[in-house]
Amino acid sequence: MACIDIDILFAKQLLESGEVVAIPTETVYGLAANAYDEAAVLKVFHIKQRPTSNPLIVHVGSIDQAGELVKEFPSQAAKLAQRYWPGPLTLLLPKKSIIPNIVTAGSQHVAIRIPNHPTTLKLLQGLSFPLAAPSANPFGYISPTTPEHVQEQLGATIPYILAGGTCKIGVESTIVGFENGKTMVYRLGGLSIESIEEIVGPVVYVNKNHISTVHKQNLITPGSFLQHYSPRKPLELGNVEELLVIHKNKKVGILAFDKYYKGVDKEHQILLSSKSNIEEAAYNLFSGLRKLDQLPVDIILSTYVPNIGLGRAINDRLMRASASTK
Ligand code: TXA
Ligand code: MG
């Protein structure tokens, strides 16, 4: 099993010697390696069992460091970075050759962000290289929001989990790029579309779910697979009262937004936010799905949450989780 502790210096030494270390961020835990070290980056792909066609986000400790990795920093990108970094915003920018192709899966764009977590910021600021880090879960499974989640699934394959408590936001970063002067959102996440539009005006959201698998490899974000963030149990999404009638002969678990449903044991129901608060719902989403996945139920039923702010990212994750279990 991996050691779970708060020793930033030890994490630094492991990373410097080409090891993979789990790190806390405000969104989800990451599985980090020296982004300049191809062999270390390859370990990340192997540990996650992730196809090397699916690129990794590069984490840096300052805007200046990000600037050193890219050929250009469009003015919209600079405005967003100044306002929302450190934070749940990933910018897709043209890369310099210092970033190995394996990190970007051959793309000439690199995804970069400054995570907003004091431990990881301190780690990054003490390193002479950036960290390539996907979420620290096996490919396709629910992302981890606590050190224990990482331990459960990847503990046997990594030496160290740098502990930083429960992730404050709970869903992955929003991925933003720029095409022909337009601001594009490629993945909904912890920074709402509304917040981005406040700074750069209207954005275009590219919903990858309607694109066939054949074309996926050529996409700018090849990792936006529909089958993602999934529990092992089947998950059905929609009107829970109606779903309860359809599945009346099964043992059901419910992921509810703000109220319990009648006729199902409360122990088999998880409330995302009793106060109907969307941020709280995002914070509880992945741990709620994990808990339900571990309960003795046959199927998980879930409702959509209001489609505003982080609600869009929550609904996106739920939709992907349900798609893969059909
Ligand atoms: O919040 C987050 O973004 C977390 C924490 C650890 O920072 N990371 C994360 O990484 O969610 P991952 O690997 O699970 O998801 C990254 C997404 C994938 O869909 C990937 O395809 C896309 O970002 N991506 C990464 N680099 C890219 C690139 N160069 N071009 C296009 N898409 C890229
Ligand atoms: Mg992931």
Side-chain angles (χ1 to χ4, degrees), residues 95-107:
K95 82 176 186 79
K96 282 192 185 152
S97 58
I98 189 162
I99 297 289
N101 287 332
I102 185 167
V103 171
T104 62
S107 164

Side-chain angles (χ1 to χ4, degrees), residues 48-86:
K48 254 189 91 90
Q49 297 183 312
R50 169 164 168 145
T52 48
S53 57
N54 191 353
L56 309 183
I57 294 176
V58 172
H59 297 70
V60 294
S62 69
I63 296 188
D64 285 350
Q65 209 186 346
E68 285 162 22
L69 307 180
V70 300
K71 287 190 181 149
E72 47 182 293
F73 220 111
S75 63
Q76 293 129 300
K79 279 188 207 156
L80 287 170
Q82 261 141 28
R83 175 67 182 81
Y84 295 119
W85 276 355

Side-chain angles (χ1 to χ4, degrees), residues 48 50 135 137 143 172 228:
K48 254 189 91 90
R50 169 164 168 145
S135 51
N137 51 294
S143 297
E172 298 84 348
H228 234 120

Side-chain angles (χ1 to χ4, degrees), residues 25-26 29 117 145-149 164-169 283 287:
T25 85
E26 79 284 28
Y29 272 73
H117 191 292
T145 52
T146 68
E148 292 71 29
H149 292 165
T166 301
C167 302
K168 291 220 158 68
I169 291 185
Y283 177 86
S287 56

